[in-house]
């Protein structure tokens, strides 16, 4: 591994941090039942690119230096609490009486906060920081809107709340179920994302009722109340419906995953990686790729993988928690499990599995090998089918292989065991004791040699068979 710290050259250029004009607090709504997921797992904990949706959202909020985050939860709150581990306050909404009611539950957690409040949905995890900034900028504009709503024009507006607006100023917000034919004809829909100054937000929410088609306290009604008070409310529209796409089902989860992967592949290629068949390569949220990396078809990057410059990953490899140094080559059909480290120029071939194992500079394990809890020195050669026996059924043990050692094919290294530098382990050996530097270790029975025996055997058997057939 090159000594330099690896940063992801494909990561989007860090937006120059422009401090927000006012402090920001965020309320993340996540109390809905998520019935359509048909899952024991809370909806916001379902993963995209190996990372729970809520974490994608928190990562975006981090770039905005959010002062407070309150997540509104209902059922399954223990799961969300465990995931957040104190990084956000939780507010419980029980029962769930609508989005307006949900935001009200965050009021106690926001006591003493003065600044802007942004409302997000836990199941809409890819709202962009720039979009949020645009909303907050609009909120701070001279005409001082009481609320700013993020609008979008979906391909199929059916079901969404509508925004009736002119020149960016909202005249009315209406849920699909409550809307007239004319209102339904409006293409501009409510994404659900909304921003308002904290004091204004809670003042308006206190006036929201539930006399509507669903008997719910609608958050968008705060806009209607403000408008009735002759105040201004504004809409900021995004031209990318994908950024506000909600995830309500496994199918929508898969669609979000597909979009994420497509963007990540594009970034990888833009940053100098060759993906022979990009649509068959799957990255994790934290995959780090260097330049001139060649990735053949059908490769899966699990979490925690970093790949240095000039690495070749042949077809059908699966990697997780692995570090690949400069010029490494793996596969086809290699499996690198957590704790795999391949130092510069190391090679792993087909049907090789590694786990918590270091393969030193230029070392090779080219065929059918298992290396678990092992350290392999620079330039060592691990023969076909050689394996470390790291587990005795109760405990894991370590194997150490010195530099330039040669491990013959089909050897079993029974850990704990050390093989010294430049040692040779003969093919087929089951090695259960340490091997000294420069030693030859051969652990197999003496060979039985009987010249001509096979010829005599065949002659005798053929004769016997011929007699039997008479
Ligand atoms: C809501 C909006 C609608 C908008 C749509 C965008 C309202 C009344 N309607 O519709 O205008 O077009 O989002 O997707 O706001 N939630 C709670 N507690 C509740 C209800 C909902 O926490 O009592 C959370 C859900 O977990 C979810 C979010 O709020 O994350 C939105 O709820 P959902 O039922 O999906 O939205 P709709 O009412 O369909
Ligand atoms: Ca609803």
């Amino acid at each position: 591994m090159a000594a330099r710290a690896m940063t992801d050259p494909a990561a989007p250029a860090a937006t120059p941090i422009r401090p927000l004009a006012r402090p920001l607090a965020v309320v993340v709504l996540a109390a809905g039942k998520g019935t359509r997921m048909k899952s024991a797992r809370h909806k916001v904990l379902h993963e995209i690119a190996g990372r729970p949706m809520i974490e994608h959202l928190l990562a975006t909020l981090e770039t905005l230096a959010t002062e407070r985050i309150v997540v509104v939860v209902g059922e399954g709150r223990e799961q969300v609490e465990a995931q957040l581990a104190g990084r956000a306050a939780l507010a419980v909404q029980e029962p769930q009486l609508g989005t307006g009611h949900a935001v009200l539950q965050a009021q106690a957690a926001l006591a003493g906060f003065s600044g802007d409040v942004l409302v997000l949905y836990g199941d809409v995890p890819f709202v962009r920081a720039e979009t949020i900034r645009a909303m907050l900028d609009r909120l701070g504009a001279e005409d001082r809107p009481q609320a700013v709503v993020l609008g979008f024009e979906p391909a199929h507006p059916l079901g969404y709340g509508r925004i009736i607006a002119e020149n960016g100023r909202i005249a009315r917000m209406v849920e699909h179920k409550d809307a007239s034919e004319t209102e339904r004809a409006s293409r501009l829909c409510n994404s659900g994302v909304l921003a308002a100054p904290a004091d204004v937000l809670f003042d308006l929410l206190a006036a929201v009722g539930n006399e509507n088609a669903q008997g719910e306290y609608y958050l968008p009604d705060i806009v209607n109340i403000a408008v009735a008070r002759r105040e201004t409310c504004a809409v900021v529209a995004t031209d990318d419906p994908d950024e506000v796409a909600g995830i309500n089902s496994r199918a929508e989860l898969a669609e979000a995953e597909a979009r994420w992967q497509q963007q990540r592949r594009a970034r990888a290629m833009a940053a100098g990686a060759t993906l022979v068949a990009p649509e068959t390569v799957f990255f994790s949220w934290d995959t780090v790729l260097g330049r001139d990396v060649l990735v053949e078809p059908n490769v899966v990057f699990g979490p925690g993988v970093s790949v240095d410059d000039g690495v070749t990953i042949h077809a059908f490899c699966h990697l997780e928690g692995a570090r690949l140094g400069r010029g490494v080559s793996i596969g086809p059909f290699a499996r690198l499990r957590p704790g795999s480290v391949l130092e510069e120029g190391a090679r792993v071939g087909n049907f090789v599995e590694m786990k918590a194992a270091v393969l030193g500079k230029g070392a090779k394990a080219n065929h059918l090998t298992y290396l678990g809890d092992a350290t392999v020195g620079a330039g060592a050669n691990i023969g076909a089918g050689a394996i470390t026996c790291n587990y005795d059924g109760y405990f894991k043990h370590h194997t150490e292989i010195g530099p330039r050692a040669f491990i013959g094919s089909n050897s079993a290294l029974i850990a704990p065991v050390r093989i010294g530098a430049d040692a040779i382990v003969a093919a087929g050996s089951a090695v259960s004791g340490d091997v000294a530097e420069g030693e030859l270790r051969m652990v197999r029975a003496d060979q039985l040699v009987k010249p001509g025996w096979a010829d005599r055997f065949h002659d005798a058997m053929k004769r016997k068979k011929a007699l039997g057939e008479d």
Side-chain angles (χ1 to χ4, degrees):
M1 199 73 198
R4 73 186 163 92
M6 290 199 59
T7 50
D8 180 1
T15 14
I17 306 281
R18 171 168 60 89
L20 298 173
R22 292 165 305 281
L24 175 67
V26 174
V27 177
V28 180
L29 302 191
K33 295 248 188 302
T35 336
R36 281 199 279 152
M37 291 302 278
K38 305 246 166 58
S39 180
R41 190 191 293 197
H42 194 287
K43 196 206 270 190
V44 301
L45 302 183
H46 281 265
E47 292 178 354
I48 292 159
R51 187 186 214 187
M53 299 180 205
I54 187 105
E55 295 292 344
H56 285 281
L57 206 51
L58 293 184
T60 303
L61 296 183
E62 208 159 289
T63 70
L64 292 163
T66 310
E67 212 164 87
R68 285 196 215 182
I69 302 173
V70 185
V71 182
V72 180
V73 284
E75 226 167 83
R77 52 181 161 275
E78 329 70 40
Q79 296 179 17
V80 179
E81 193 164 22
Q83 176 69 36
L84 294 175
R87 288 171 299 154
L90 285 192
V92 176
Q93 185 198 22
E94 198 73 76
Q96 287 91 45
L97 302 179
T99 50
H101 178 252
V103 174
L104 260 185
Q105 310 313 305
Q107 189 168 18
L110 292 178
F113 171 81
S114 71
D116 296 337
V117 175
L118 173 76
V119 178
L120 298 175
Y121 292 173
D123 53 5
V124 181
F126 294 113
V127 185
R128 293 194 309 248
E130 307 89 87
T131 304
I132 294 172
R133 279 181 180 278
M135 291 177 69
L136 298 173
D137 285 348
R138 182 66 191 91
L139 195 60
E142 249 159 50
D143 60 342
R144 290 284 152 169
Q146 302 261 293
V148 173
V149 173
L150 180 60
F152 72 121
E153 294 196 3
H156 308 287
L158 196 79
Y160 288 109
R162 303 300 203 281
I163 302 171
I164 315 300
E166 212 170 317
N167 300 324
R169 294 200 180 186
I170 305 178
R172 172 165 151 82
M173 294 198 57
V174 60
E175 287 305 289
H176 181 84
K177 286 183 179 155
D178 300 292
S180 67
E181 279 311 312
T182 342
E183 287 166 336
R184 284 184 186 180
S186 162
R187 305 272 330 271
L188 188 61
C189 289
N190 175 23
S191 69
V193 179
L194 173 149
D199 49 352
V200 174
L201 175 68
F202 291 110
D203 177 50
L204 291 170
L205 271 176
V208 169
N210 66 347
E211 284 125 42
N212 51 52
Q214 302 181 82
E216 286 182 9
Y217 296 87
Y218 293 162
L219 176 62
D221 268 353
I222 66 166
V223 170
N224 297 328
I225 292 164
V227 169
R229 293 178 184 171
R230 309 205 162 278
E231 300 281 2
T232 298
C233 289
V235 56
V236 163
T238 170
D239 53 13
D240 173 16
D242 290 343
E243 87 169 303
V244 291
I247 297 169
N248 297 295
S249 63
R250 306 274 180 165
E252 286 172 355
L253 184 69
E255 284 165 21
E257 176 79 36
R259 282 195 298 270
W260 189 95
Q261 293 295 345
Q262 204 176 357
Q263 285 168 14
R264 184 64 186 87
R265 291 165 191 146
R267 278 206 282 133
M269 292 186 283
T274 295
L275 310 184
V276 176
E279 66 286 0
T280 68
V281 176
F282 296 84
F283 293 105
S284 270
W285 66 277
D286 61 348
T287 308
V288 177
L289 280 189
R291 286 196 181 194
D292 294 313
V293 169
L294 170 66
V295 185
E296 288 186 357
N298 299 299
V299 172
V300 175
F301 293 89
V305 176
S306 69
V307 177
D308 210 329
D309 296 347
V311 165
T312 298
I313 301 176
H314 292 289
F316 297 101
C317 287
H318 190 282
L319 305 85
E320 261 175 294
R323 281 205 290 132
L324 278 61
R326 199 175 272 263
V328 155
S329 164
I330 68 165
F333 298 100
R335 176 163 188 218
L336 303 183
R337 292 169 54 205
S340 296
V341 176
L342 282 76
E343 288 171 359
E344 192 173 334
R347 302 178 75 86
V348 153
N350 44 265
F351 306 108
V352 171
E353 173 179 346
M354 288 177 66
K355 186 223 74 176
V358 178
L359 200 51
K361 230 176 170 174
K364 295 178 198 161
N366 276 337
H367 335 264
L368 304 154
T369 284
Y370 173 59
L371 293 170
D373 302 297
T375 313
V376 179
N381 186 86
I382 313 296
I387 59 165
T388 53
C389 309
N390 60 323
Y391 185 50
D392 59 16
Y394 296 90
F395 300 102
K396 301 283 175 62
H397 303 281
H398 195 257
T399 298
E400 196 169 327
I401 298 172
R404 300 170 305 280
F406 181 96
I407 310 299
S409 294
N410 202 33
S411 297
L413 307 179
I414 303 165
V417 68
R418 302 164 76 123
I419 315 294
D422 300 297
I424 295 177
V425 170
S429 296
V431 179
S432 57
D434 291 355
V435 175
E437 281 185 24
E439 179 186 325
L440 165 71
R441 178 71 57 93
M442 171 147 36
V443 190
R444 57 193 190 208
D446 280 345
Q447 314 230 336
L448 195 60
V449 184
K450 297 195 172 185
W453 188 95
D455 284 345
R456 291 196 295 280
F457 172 78
H458 290 309
D459 289 348
M461 294 311 270
K462 280 174 188 162
R463 243 180 288 129
K464 200 170 172 180
K465 195 159 187 186
L467 284 174
E469 275 169 13
D470 273 354

